[in-house]
Amino acid sequence: MHEPTDLVDSAERTRTALATVVARFSTAWGSGLPPDLSAYLPREPAERRSILIELIKIDLEYRWLHYHFPKRLTEYHAEFAELQEGPLPADLVYEEFHALRRSPHTADAAAPATEVATMAGAPELPEFTSDYRSTLIARPEAQVVLDAIDVGDHVDDFDLLMKIGAGAFAQVYLARQQSMQRLVAVKISHNHGIEPQTLAQLDHDYIVRIFDQRLIADGELKLLYMQYLPGGTLLDVVHLLRATPAEHRSGQLLLDAVDGVLADKGEVRPAESAVRTRTAELTWPETVAWLGRRLADALQHASERGVLHRDIKPANVLLSAEGIPKLADFNVSSSKRIKGTSPLAYFGGSLAYMSPEQLEACHPDLPATAADLDTRSDIFALGVMLWELLTGHRPFADETCAGESETSLARMLELRRRPVEPKFLTELPPDCPMALRRVLLKCLSPDREDRYPCGSELAQQLDLCLEERARDLVYPPPKSWRARLSRLPTPVLWSSSLVGIGLATIYLAVHLQSLLDVRLSDATYSRLYTSTIVFNLVAWPLAIVIYAYMSRDLLAVPRGLRRGRRYDEDALARVRSRTLFWGDLCALNTFVFAVCATVAGVMLLRWFTDLPARLMVHAGTTVLVAGTISVAYTFFLSTFYVVRCVYPIYLRHGRTTAHDSAVLRALRRRTTIYLAVTASVPLVGVLAGFTALEPAELPLVRDSVLGLCAASGLAFVAVYWLFRKLDADVRALERVCGAVSDVRV
């Protein structure tokens, strides 16, 4: 069943309980004697282990730095059963090392710390450096000061005007910065974590911009001030969504949620803008794709700088007055570029949105750790959030007590290790495009190898969901003719070649037969007919061999993709580009066949007949005209099929780049040239049809030439229709194949 809307997040409850317990435990240390740590542990197993780890960190600090009551991790390990299952947490080893290093009572901390880790079977240790960064989540002195701060206070350079958010260890205010005379968002929190340093690395349109940080209360608290976004969060959108009937949901719902938050704050609704106008015109699935596309781009920017967010949820996505999303709250993020940090420190997040591998890292009985996570974990969380935005519910049947014990945590993990259940698929809106459905299911794949490997690839797929023509090409209905024909490239392409060759052969036969009937005997005709059969028996197998060689990768890779095989980006990019030349290759193969037929035909006429040279020239010219017909029509039929049925397959796999756009533009230029060739067929046919003929011979070929003009005129109409469709398809694909950084606001 779905969680009730007023269910408090279990991770937030744990943090609140932790703050309370830490304050009590620190007060007890005020007597100067070690308190009984076990007396402060809760009964709930899930909260018990996390709180135990934090209390041990505080206990180590008091025992080694403030007093002299030495106690080693091996003793805690023997005392508490919660630490005996699996390896010791690496952040505990890290804290003990630095407690011993800073203590005046120890000389060498590295050897004992390494010994503890080895004895307890700890995983690979975090790097021990002289740059100590505390991993404590809650500092008792900081909590006292934080609770004393309220609206109306003047803190550092800021007048606190309104509280706009609060958590166990942080409060967020709308404030006026006196020195700059501007409104900013001020986050005051315990001085732990690397959120300011992380955000300082990120400069992106869809990530909240940080201005600076200050340390206050003698360094116990930090004040982080950043750009103020008045439009609330995506959580406000989810609440409004659940209260709105499905048939009334559209892009206007997003703007209504923003305007509702603005009204509650007493702020003026912004004037209409191009962004708000376009957003209001979107369907609700398109709105979700529009939001997701921008957040995926933000994830790409963060991952390129070694940052994992690890806590993506609606409350952590802020909205501008125009409804533009910006990723915020990097409090539990990790960064590979900040010296002295570890992905194991400040690990947390909201359980309901976590990927299977992140839940495994939270489970005390499983060997996975936060160090195992990568961008694909954030992509899973983004997929959960987008699904919730689309339907009003998350795609998992979590119990109301989910995450409050190891048993319920294991249940959540079990649900996320399976594909999304069919009953949740029925909740998708009727107007949800097949493309968006497939994109979200790929994001939510239990196996992270099956998810999008990076934010830019996900962003491009969501771009497809916003481009109606392109998404219908890339994600056709499973039983549509395009989906079926995409599996049959060889029969379709050969059929397109045969259409061109067939039309050319018909013209050739009608035109030359009437001209040669009066000049050749039956015996000569028989020899020519036999020679033609021999030529075809040689030419067709050769054409098949040439086709098989030039199409070997173009046939193998789509077949491999359908079977689940993975290809590297370079291989996919190479085959993608070559696929757009497939129609040209088929036309070239046909043209080579026509040239060979011309040469062979002239030679046969010379060997078996005594026709004058001018008629042989006429026959050769006629064969070339027929070849031109076959080449032009073969190209359009083949390329129309390739663009509609084959090329879109690659856009479901791998990232496209600006090079793909350039190749598509080149294809549009070539189609224009081929169209000109097709349009010239009647004129060329007339000129070639009467070339080198005497006046008495003209009536013999008049009907065939006039027939060619009429038929090619009708054929041009059909080709022009194909050209317009093809051009529209290529333009749509080109719009979604550009550089991922080119985001339309």
Side-chain angles (χ1 to χ4, degrees), residues 63 121 128 182 207 223 230-231 254 257 317 390 401 468 490 500 535 558 598 627 733:
R63 286 177 177 275
F128 292 128
R182 63 179 175 182
I207 297 177
L223 182 152
L254 172 64
V317 178
L390 192 59
C401 61
E468 183 177 1
T490 295
F535 171 79
T598 300
L733 294 174

Side-chain angles (χ1 to χ4, degrees), residues 256-294:
D256 290 343
V258 169
D259 293 343
V261 173
L262 293 174
D264 291 342
K265 294 179 179 178
E267 299 195 25
V268 179
R269 178 180 178 273
E272 287 301 320
S273 65
V275 175
R276 288 178 66 96
T277 300
R278 286 199 301 268
T279 302
E281 294 171 351
L282 297 175
T283 66
W284 185 241
E286 288 173 340
T287 304
V288 172
W290 184 85
L291 292 166
R293 191 263 179 267
R294 280 140 187 79

Side-chain angles (χ1 to χ4, degrees), residues 502-544:
L503 293 174
T505 302
I506 291 172
Y507 169 68
L508 189 64
V510 172
H511 184 83
L512 291 181
Q513 185 173 5
S514 58
L515 187 63
L516 299 179
D517 271 350
V518 297
R519 294 180 175 273
L520 301 180
S521 64
D522 291 342
T524 302
Y525 253 121
S526 178
R527 287 195 295 271
L528 285 175
Y529 180 74
T530 303
S531 300
T532 302
I533 292 177
V534 172
F535 171 79
N536 281 286
L537 290 176
V538 174
W540 279 101
L542 182 60
I544 292 172

Side-chain angles (χ1 to χ4, degrees), residues 286-464:
E286 288 173 340
T287 304
V288 172
W290 184 85
L291 292 166
R293 191 263 179 267
R294 280 140 187 79
L295 295 173
D297 199 46
L299 288 184
Q300 176 67 23
H301 178 81
S303 77
E304 287 173 353
R305 287 148 185 81
V307 175
L308 294 181
H309 189 280
R310 306 199 298 193
D311 193 19
I312 293 174
K313 60 182 179 181
N316 286 344
V317 178
L318 306 184
L319 297 170
S320 72
E322 293 188 320
I324 297 173
K326 294 181 184 283
L327 193 57
D329 200 345
F330 284 72
N331 195 45
V332 297
S333 64
S334 69
S335 175
K336 296 178 181 178
R337 297 188 179 182
I338 298 178
K339 187 177 180 181
T341 62
S342 164
L344 303 171
Y346 322 117
F347 181 51
S350 301
L351 296 173
Y353 298 89
M354 286 186 182
S355 64
E357 58 269 24
Q358 192 169 353
L359 285 174
E360 289 177 13
C362 291
H363 199 293
D365 296 335
L366 296 176
T369 71
D372 301 326
L373 304 181
D374 57 23
T375 303
R376 291 170 292 183
S377 183
D378 280 349
I379 286 176
F380 184 96
L382 179 58
V384 175
M385 186 181 73
L386 294 179
W387 191 287
E388 185 175 20
L389 279 171
L390 192 59
T391 66
H393 302 286
R394 293 187 282 271
F396 303 106
D398 295 329
E399 300 90 346
T400 55
C401 61
E404 295 183 4
S405 68
E406 292 176 18
T407 302
S408 59
L409 185 60
R411 170 64 177 165
M412 294 178 73
L413 183 55
E414 178 187 356
L415 292 174
R416 284 152 182 78
R417 282 174 171 167
R418 301 199 301 254
V420 174
E421 296 178 9
K423 65 179 180 180
F424 293 106
L425 296 177
T426 62
E427 295 180 350
L428 292 172
D431 59 343
C432 178
M434 179 63 69
L436 182 57
R437 169 179 169 148
R438 292 185 179 180
V439 167
L440 292 182
L441 289 177
K442 189 173 178 67
C443 291
L444 296 171
S445 174
D447 183 357
R448 64 180 174 183
E449 295 295 330
D450 293 333
R451 296 178 213 145
Y452 297 107
C454 59
S456 60
E457 188 170 331
L458 172 58
Q460 287 188 333
Q461 294 302 311
L462 291 169
D463 259 343
L464 277 172

Side-chain angles (χ1 to χ4, degrees), residues 65-121:
L65 301 180
H66 301 291
Y67 304 98
H68 185 52
F69 296 102
K71 187 173 183 178
R72 301 299 309 280
L73 278 184
T74 50
E75 298 176 66
Y76 293 105
H77 182 267
E79 181 179 351
F80 295 101
E82 290 85 356
L83 299 179
Q84 295 168 8
E85 294 291 334
L88 274 174
D91 52 341
L92 274 185
V93 180
Y94 175 83
E95 286 293 339
E96 187 195 48
F97 167 77
H98 282 287
L100 269 62
R101 185 181 63 81
R102 294 182 294 153
S103 172
H105 306 290
T106 56
D108 181 17
T114 305
E115 177 186 354
V116 169
T118 303
M119 290 175 58

Side-chain angles (χ1 to χ4, degrees), residues 73-296:
L73 278 184
T74 50
E75 298 176 66
Y76 293 105
H77 182 267
E79 181 179 351
F80 295 101
E82 290 85 356
L83 299 179
Q84 295 168 8
E85 294 291 334
L88 274 174
D91 52 341
L92 274 185
V93 180
Y94 175 83
E95 286 293 339
E96 187 195 48
F97 167 77
H98 282 287
L100 269 62
R101 185 181 63 81
R102 294 182 294 153
S103 172
H105 306 290
T106 56
D108 181 17
T114 305
E115 177 186 354
V116 169
T118 303
M119 290 175 58
E124 182 180 351
L125 296 176
E127 181 183 359
F128 292 128
T129 69
S130 59
D131 296 325
Y132 169 62
R133 292 180 181 272
S134 172
T135 63
L136 279 170
I137 295 177
R139 301 185 67 86
E141 299 88 348
Q143 192 65 35
V144 173
V145 181
L146 182 64
D147 291 341
I149 297 174
D150 204 353
V151 174
D153 292 347
H154 180 81
V155 180
D156 197 271
D157 188 30
F158 304 91
D159 293 327
L160 306 184
L161 305 178
M162 178 192 303
K163 183 179 287 189
I164 55 178
F169 310 122
Q171 296 176 1
V172 184
Y173 297 90
L174 169 63
R176 177 174 295 279
Q177 186 179 10
Q178 289 293 340
S179 61
M180 302 298 292
Q181 287 297 297
R182 63 179 175 182
L183 292 178
V184 294
V186 168
K187 180 177 181 179
I188 303 175
S189 64
H190 289 208
N191 185 18
H192 70 78
I194 57 171
E195 183 179 18
Q197 293 84 352
T198 299
L199 281 170
Q201 300 178 70
L202 308 177
D203 183 14
H204 194 268
D205 289 340
Y206 305 116
I207 297 177
V208 173
R209 279 193 171 85
I210 181 176
F211 297 137
D212 202 353
Q213 75 160 340
R214 312 279 175 85
L215 295 181
I216 59 177
D218 296 326
E220 290 292 338
L221 298 178
K222 64 184 175 187
L223 182 152
L224 180 67
Y225 62 104
M226 61 198 88
Q227 68 178 129
Y228 170 56
L229 295 166
T233 70
L234 283 183
L235 186 59
D236 300 306
V237 178
V238 171
H239 290 159
L240 181 60
L241 175 77
R242 290 170 176 166
T244 304
E247 61 272 15
H248 295 153
R249 297 172 183 174
S250 68
Q252 185 61 45
L253 187 148
L254 172 64
L255 301 179
D256 290 343
V258 169
D259 293 343
V261 173
L262 293 174
D264 291 342
K265 294 179 179 178
E267 299 195 25
V268 179
R269 178 180 178 273
E272 287 301 320
S273 65
V275 175
R276 288 178 66 96
T277 300
R278 286 199 301 268
T279 302
E281 294 171 351
L282 297 175
T283 66
W284 185 241
E286 288 173 340
T287 304
V288 172
W290 184 85
L291 292 166
R293 191 263 179 267
R294 280 140 187 79
L295 295 173

Side-chain angles (χ1 to χ4, degrees), residues 705-717:
V705 172
L706 293 177
L708 172 65
C709 293
S712 59
L714 294 174
F716 178 76
V717 173

